[in-house]
Amino acid sequence: MSNLSKIKILHIDSNHPLLWEQLENAGFTNEADFISTKEEVENKIENYHGIVIRSRFKIDKTFIDKAKNLQFIARVGAGLESIDCDYAESKKIHLIAAPEGNCNAVGEHALGMILSLFNKLNNADKEVKSGHWNRESNRGFELDGKTVGIIGYGNMGKSFAKKLRGFDVEVLCYDILPNVGDENAKQVSLQELQQKTDVLSLHIPWTPETDKMVNSEFINQFTKPFWLINTARGKSVVTADLVAALQSGKILGAGLDVLEYEKLSFETLFEGDKPEAFEYLLQANNVLLTPHIAGWTFESKEKLAQVIVNKIISIYV
């Protein structure tokens, strides 16, 4: 690994310091640019062999064409949907992500959302702090005896299923890949999952197949009213159809860590006019919203960085 100093890596987002330190210790040359525009980065990217990114901008065909010497793109996160993966791979560029790094955090967050919705924790907390002591209206439900359906049984889905082992629940999973079920979840057809599920949790990447997947038709194929948890990707759920199902009682409650309206930089979500469906979510007592933080723990920040370092080094060893 002695000639790694010739491998120049551009970091365009801040990450846990171990990422920079361990790459430096391994011999790589690190440079950072957290402020330049995409166009400005494009103008100099041919000088680099690797890029480390979170979610600052899309890496598209234009960017890749200018990155003439790029050997890898490392995204410090679970998914690669902000990258033109097919085009990058056609240019023999290694693509690196780290779903292993934050799957435990996502599993815990999804479980927390269910328990909070079932026990009306957020609503009860808000009422008590406002001087109201309402017991009957905050009577909750138990997870015991319910069927939890998981769509997407990769790192995230498996982590969530493992967290459910302490509860007397039936756990079903559906995935496009065969034979992914394990001791924590029984793999079934989508139809069987829709027949039996009381709680649906999404753990799917954003792909053409999962885009707008949870729409009215999909929701109405469920036999029973159900709770929905989404810690995956916001664009997999049609918010207006979710709201209609919340209003009709087909969906009993929703825990949403991600929203259809998210931009690539999520902070602009509350600027300008809000869609009517979003306004409904903001007011609904049976909806729990978090700002895309399911995988965003102190521990996962470190784990994500470590996974990325290990994968980068493995390319050159």
Side-chain angles (χ1 to χ4, degrees):
M1 296 197 335
S2 57
N3 63 345
L4 288 186
S5 60
K6 294 176 183 168
I7 305 296
K8 290 177 68 179
I9 301 173
L10 181 64
H11 299 249
I12 64 169
D13 283 300
S14 62
N15 286 291
H16 193 284
L18 78 78
L19 200 155
W20 182 286
E21 290 163 9
Q22 290 190 19
L23 289 173
E24 193 169 61
N25 292 341
F28 294 94
T29 298
N30 290 315
E31 292 184 18
D33 184 344
F34 301 159
I35 55 171
S36 291
T37 65
K38 178 173 181 277
E39 289 71 26
E40 288 167 341
V41 174
E42 281 173 355
N43 289 337
K44 64 179 182 180
I45 194 60
E46 66 180 326
N47 301 321
Y48 297 92
H49 306 97
I51 186 167
V52 177
I53 188 169
R54 285 204 327 263
S55 299
R56 208 164 118 215
F57 52 68
K58 281 191 156 82
I59 294 187
D60 52 18
K61 187 173 182 290
T62 307
F63 187 96
I64 293 166
D65 280 338
K66 298 200 170 179
K68 294 182 171 33
N69 296 302
L70 208 58
Q71 296 170 9
F72 71 82
I73 302 166
R75 177 160 186 270
V76 187
L80 291 166
E81 62 264 29
S82 58
I83 299 162
D84 188 333
C85 295
D86 291 341
Y87 194 65
E89 286 173 341
S90 77
K91 297 285 188 181
K92 304 288 189 288
I93 296 170
H94 292 274
L95 296 174
I96 299 169
E100 312 94 320
N102 62 357
C103 61
N104 184 71
V106 170
E108 289 190 9
H109 194 95
L111 180 58
M113 284 189 133
I114 288 176
L115 295 175
S116 182
L117 284 169
F118 270 39
N119 295 286
K120 304 184 180 176
L121 298 183
N122 287 64
N123 193 57
D125 172 72
K126 191 167 60 181
E127 288 185 4
V128 172
K129 287 176 177 174
S130 301
H132 302 288
W133 192 264
N134 301 324
R135 297 183 69 212
E136 188 55 43
S137 62
N138 284 303
R139 192 184 285 273
F141 297 90
E142 295 178 22
L143 199 47
D144 190 280
K146 304 288 192 294
T147 297
V148 179
I150 297 172
I151 296 185
Y153 205 60
N155 287 287
M156 307 297 171
K158 282 181 160 65
S159 169
F160 177 53
K162 188 178 175 188
K163 304 284 176 278
L164 291 167
R165 287 184 69 164
F167 297 87
D168 284 326
V169 293
E170 181 182 21
V171 184
L172 307 176
C173 67
Y174 170 75
D175 197 280
I176 56 172
L177 297 175
N179 306 316
V180 295
D182 56 20
E183 69 275 13
N184 299 325
K186 176 188 172 191
Q187 188 167 6
V188 296
S189 66
L190 181 58
Q191 185 180 16
E192 184 176 343
L193 184 137
Q194 288 174 319
Q195 282 170 353
K196 296 181 176 176
T197 288
D198 297 297
V199 178
L200 175 66
S201 191
L202 303 179
H203 297 279
I204 43 180
W206 184 45
T207 68
E209 291 72 35
T210 64
D211 184 55
K212 299 181 175 59
M213 181 183 85
V214 180
N215 57 18
S216 291
E217 183 186 3
F218 177 92
I219 291 166
N220 290 329
Q221 284 167 345
F222 282 75
T223 303
K224 299 185 272 186
F226 65 95
W227 282 265
L228 173 69
I229 305 294
N230 187 10
T231 54
R233 288 294 181 259
K235 291 187 185 342
S236 295
V237 176
V238 179
T239 311
D241 292 359
L242 164 62
V243 166
L246 285 164
Q247 290 171 326
S248 73
K250 183 67 180 187
I251 291 182
L252 299 166
L256 308 174
D257 182 53
V258 288
L259 291 167
E260 180 183 2
Y261 314 111
E262 283 179 39
K263 307 292 190 296
L264 212 57
S265 62
F266 309 127
E267 291 78 9
T268 59
L269 191 62
F270 290 93
E271 292 175 7
D273 292 334
K274 299 182 190 69
E276 193 178 332
F278 184 36
E279 291 279 13
Y280 180 88
L281 296 180
L282 295 177
Q283 305 300 325
N285 285 336
N286 60 342
V287 174
L288 185 59
L289 301 173
T290 53
H292 205 131
I293 53 163
W296 200 259
T297 61
F298 291 101
E299 292 86 354
S300 73
K301 185 177 184 183
E302 186 171 342
K303 287 184 211 167
L304 285 166
Q306 191 63 63
V307 170
I308 293 294
V309 168
N310 295 347
K311 289 185 177 181
I312 291 172
I313 290 174
S314 71
I315 294 173
Y316 298 97
V317 176

